[in-house]
Structures are given as C-alpha cells and as structure tokens.
Amino acid sequence: MRQAIATVKKTKEIQEKYKVFTKKSFGQNFIIEPGIVEKIANAAIQSRDELVFEIGPGIGALTQFLCEKSNQVVAFEIDERLPVVLENEIGFDHLQIVLEDILKVDIDEKIREFRKPGQKVVFASNLPYYITTPIIMHILENSIHAESITVMMQKEVADRIKASPGNKTYGAISAAVQYYCEVEQVISVPKEVFVPRPKVDSAVLKLTIRKETPVDLIDEKAFFACIKAGFGQRRKTLLNSLTGTYGLSKDEIRTILEKAGIDPVRRAETLDMNEFADIANGVASAKQTI
C-alpha cells in the first residue's frame, strides 16, 4: 500500500495538488489518523472475497484500507472533484467509483450489478453528520442482501442508535435500527483526528443486519407507525401520542394498550421492542376490522 492518506502531511499534499479543499455543503471532514480507519476496515471486512460498498470515500483515507482487505470495493461519491483523486492516489485496480448520490440509488439493483454469485456484501463509511440517519435507514429499508454496515458517525447519534429503553437517548432511531440490526460499538473517535476539526466527537458502530426479524408482526408498517407516533411527542403518554394512528380513536387505543398489558400513561421511551410489537399488532388487527 502507498503512504497512508490519513495523515496531516498527505492530506494537505492531496488538497493542494488537486485543489480539493473541504466543502461544508458536503459535510466533509478528512480524517488524519490511519490507525482509526484501519480499525474501521478491520471491523467491516471479514474476508477478502466480500464486496464492499463505501459511501462517501472523500480523498480515500478509509478506501485505502478497504482495498487492502477486500478484492472488490465500490465507492459511491457525489463530489465530482474526487474520482480523479481516488483513481490516482489509492493504487488498487479493484476499486470502482460510482459518481452517484447513495440516497437516490436502488441499493439492491447495485448489489445485483456488482455482486458475484454467493458473495457477501458489506457497507463501510465515514458518513457526513448531517445525513447519517437517512443513509443508514435507506440501506436498511432498501436492501435485504447486505450483511452489515460499519460506519463512523457523530457520537450523539451513535449513543441514540445503541440506547436501551428507559435511557433518555432512546428514541425512534434506536428502535428502528435495533429492529433491523444487532448494534456494536467498535471505537470512539475524538474530534482532534479530523481536518477541519468538527465540534463534536465521533464513534464507529457496526450494525450487523438480522437474518430474521426479532419480533413477530402482522404489519411492519403498523410497527413503524407506532414507533413514529410514540416518539413524535415524547412528553405525551402512549394513550395520547398513539391516538389517531391509522385513524384509531383514543378509546380504541386504550383498548389495544390494555389488551397488551401496557399502562396507557407510560411513554414510548420506556417500551422495549416486544411491547411496541404487541401494540402494533393490536393496531393492525383493529385496522383490519374497520
């Protein structure tokens, strides 16, 4: 492998050479600590045969190590200035660059395009803070073929994703991601290892996508509707926050909660996934009888 890109010296050299200074509009922060990106790659990739989708490679700090560990890396980038940097600086022929916005990409279509028969697919990324959640949910909601997502994100978002019921950081994103994935923190990342330096620290999570759903549901849409409504106004009781879900009245919601053995004055942040599932199944059943 060539000299690590994730250093102060090499990052400045590339920025000057290609005039690719960071853009706030893309949420760009270049990492300058090679040990951290190597740990992300190690966590993301278990075999050289895996197909790796990287989101937002930037100038290639993480890309280098992904290419070192995998025989096939596909990097999705929206900054038109960067493909030439990646092509010239990475030094691996098995890197393919796709100049597309991952949020507008049909994930399964891209997997079918690039994956070889029997090949496992993993995602890895140092995500821009402002679109972390939309990208994670886009992958989870639109791909049934990926194994995992290993991603660096703002520490506050990581804390929310891995939070347990009863924790003040537990919310809709916690319940949604944990429905799809098993969540593991890989490392904490201080803000000092980026240029420009962000105002907050980061963390790397590995989201291993479940092969089977953790709860039995009549209607998955009802489950997510209940989560969204429950956390939409956190201070409200479940009875009040869920009223109107799928057009159900307060009395109908009260009956659903009572049948599920859940006190109507509880709040969404106290519910575990099984309790959300019980409510959602009650809502789905009530909807079918309307």
Side-chain angles (χ1 to χ4, degrees), residues 68-224:
E68 184 77 18
K69 289 189 63 66
S70 169
N71 292 326
Q72 188 181 10
V73 177
V74 178
F76 293 85
E77 179 56 65
I78 60 172
D79 188 340
E80 296 180 354
R81 304 173 302 163
L82 298 180
V84 66
V85 180
L86 296 166
E87 290 165 359
N88 292 343
E89 298 294 333
I90 297 302
F92 289 95
D93 294 334
H94 56 271
L95 170 65
Q96 295 165 279
I97 304 161
V98 178
L99 195 61
E100 291 186 54
D101 183 347
I102 193 69
L103 288 173
K104 297 177 182 177
V105 164
D106 182 325
I107 301 292
D108 274 346
E109 183 180 299
K110 289 299 181 184
I111 289 175
R112 288 192 295 271
E113 179 181 344
F114 289 103
R115 185 172 67 169
K116 301 177 180 70
Q119 191 176 29
K120 291 184 177 181
V121 181
V122 300
F123 285 81
S125 182
N126 169 19
L127 285 179
Y129 290 160
Y130 74 103
I131 52 169
T132 297
T133 299
I135 287 179
I136 289 174
M137 293 310 299
H138 178 63
I139 296 170
L140 295 177
E141 291 171 352
N142 294 284
S143 174
I144 59 172
H145 301 295
E147 299 290 319
S148 64
I149 308 168
T150 303
V151 57
M152 178 150 50
M153 64 189 76
Q154 185 176 342
K155 180 181 181 299
E156 180 183 335
V157 176
D159 288 343
R160 290 205 301 269
I161 287 176
K162 66 180 185 175
S164 302
N167 189 304
K168 65 180 181 179
T169 58
Y170 181 71
I173 188 63
S174 319
V177 173
Q178 290 173 32
Y179 171 76
Y180 287 112
C181 306
E182 295 178 5
V183 180
E184 168 195 359
Q185 178 157 330
V186 178
I187 50 170
S188 297
V189 183
K191 55 183 173 288
E192 288 80 11
V193 301
F194 294 94
V195 290
R197 183 181 298 183
K199 295 179 180 179
V200 295
D201 292 330
S202 299
V204 178
L205 296 185
K206 181 168 185 176
L207 311 176
T208 302
I209 300 172
R210 300 180 189 273
K211 301 302 181 187
E212 297 180 358
T213 57
V215 288
D216 293 325
L217 298 173
I218 296 172
D219 182 350
E220 193 176 82
K221 288 183 179 179
F223 177 72
F224 284 103

